[in-house]
């Protein structure tokens, strides 16, 4: 739905100080949860926002961002070009989800956290406050790889977690269910196969503790 029609029909509320490009598309209909765009928000061209999306004060969405149902972007946060946030993803205040990132939904990203370019955040993952995920880092939540198999009917994701004040190097991979606890570091290219304890640095394939 175009901006003028969306505002007129009451399915979108845009604060007068927000700047929304005229190519933004709102995929929301009468009777659905409205889209809320707060003060001093900037939304670039060709973005797509679905029902229930909320973009809080001073947040910035660059071009071609897609926010699916009930996503919420915190205050002063930045969403980069071509990033996709699937339904029920939340981004805290003063955070960066950079360019060409994909979050698969039901994901919680904390405050003052950076998820760098081309990272992949799997369904159900939780990332804490003040953490950094390097470029092309990714998580895995499928223990069986059941795509196109009968087991798919009983499949449930096994998400990973990243705590507060963590640093994840470029290209690191987090396997299903691992917990990277507060103030820990994962080296670039590492494959994390088991929990990383607090204040610990791990490196390698598979990742092993190198300091604490």
């Amino acid at each position: 739905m175009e901006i003028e029609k969306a505002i007129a029909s009451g399915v979108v509320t845009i604060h007068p100080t927000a700047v929304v490009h005229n190519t933004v598309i709102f995929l929301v209909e009468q009777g659905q949860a409205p889209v809320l765009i707060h003060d001093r928000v900037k939304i670039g061209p060709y973005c797509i926002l679905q029902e229930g999306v909320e973009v809080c004060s001073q947040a910035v969405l660059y071009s071609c961002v897609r926010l699916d149902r009930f996503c919420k972007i915190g205050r002063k946060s930045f969403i980069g070009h071509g990033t996709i946030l699937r339904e029920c993803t939340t981004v805290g205040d003063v955070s960066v989800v950079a360019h060409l990132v994909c979050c698969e939904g039901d994901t919680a990203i904390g405050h003052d956290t950076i998820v760098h370019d081309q990272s992949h955040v799997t369904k159900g993952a939780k990332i804490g406050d003040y953490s950094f995920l390097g470029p092309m880092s990714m998580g895995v939540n499928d223990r069986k790889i059941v795509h196109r198999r009968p087991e798919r009917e009983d499949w449930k994701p096994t998400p990973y977690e990243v705590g507060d004040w963590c640093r994840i190097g470029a290209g690191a991979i987090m396997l299903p269910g691992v917990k990277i606890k507060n103030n820990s570091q994962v080296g670039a290219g590492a494959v994390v196969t088991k929990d990383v304890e607090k204040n610990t640095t791990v490196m390698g394939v598979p990742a092993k503790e190198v300091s604490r």
Side-chain angles (χ1 to χ4, degrees):
M1 188 181 297
E2 296 176 353
I3 293 176
E4 293 80 4
K5 293 180 180 178
I7 294 173
S9 62
V11 297
V12 174
T13 300
I14 301 176
H15 193 277
T17 62
V19 177
V20 180
H21 198 274
N22 59 14
T23 59
V24 173
I25 297 172
F26 296 96
L27 299 181
V28 55
E29 300 176 357
Q30 290 281 0
Q32 293 183 328
V35 173
L36 303 177
I37 299 174
H38 293 266
D39 60 293
R40 292 169 286 176
V41 166
K42 296 181 180 179
I43 302 181
Y46 305 109
C47 291
I48 298 175
L49 280 65
Q50 294 189 359
E51 68 157 319
V53 163
E54 182 174 6
V55 185
C56 295
S57 176
Q58 301 181 64
V60 176
L61 276 58
Y62 272 58
S63 64
C64 302
V65 171
R66 181 182 177 111
L67 302 182
D68 284 355
R69 301 171 64 249
F70 300 105
C71 286
K72 182 176 181 179
I73 309 301
R75 294 177 58 257
K76 298 184 179 180
S77 286
F78 167 102
I79 310 298
H81 299 286
T83 284
I84 299 173
L85 304 184
R86 299 297 185 192
E87 62 181 26
C88 300
T89 293
T90 61
V91 178
D93 298 337
V94 203
S95 288
V96 174
V97 182
H99 310 300
L100 299 173
V101 173
C102 181
C103 291
E104 288 293 348
D106 297 318
T107 303
I109 297 172
H111 302 299
D112 207 354
T113 283
I114 297 175
V115 180
H116 222 300
D117 298 349
Q118 300 183 60
S119 293
H120 184 90
V121 183
T122 54
K123 187 177 181 67
K126 292 181 173 57
I127 300 170
D129 301 333
Y130 312 110
S131 289
F132 175 91
L133 277 67
M136 294 184 285
S137 60
M138 66 177 64
V140 181
N141 66 1
D142 188 342
R143 294 185 185 275
K144 297 181 180 180
I145 311 180
V146 295
H147 179 65
R148 295 188 180 276
R149 296 184 184 179
E151 302 96 305
R152 178 75 191 185
E153 295 181 3
D154 299 323
W155 179 83
K156 292 182 180 179
T158 309
Y160 63 96
E161 296 182 15
V162 176
D164 301 336
W165 298 101
C166 291
R167 298 291 179 267
I168 310 298
I173 299 174
M174 283 71 71
L175 293 190
V178 299
K179 293 179 172 59
I180 299 172
K181 300 179 182 179
N182 294 349
N183 200 38
S184 292
Q185 299 180 83
V186 175
V191 178
V192 182
T193 60
K194 59 183 180 180
D195 292 355
V196 178
E197 298 302 319
K198 293 181 180 179
N199 308 310
T200 300
T201 298
V202 299
M203 300 176 67
V205 182
K208 296 181 180 180
E209 182 179 324
V210 295
S211 66
R212 184 181 291 215

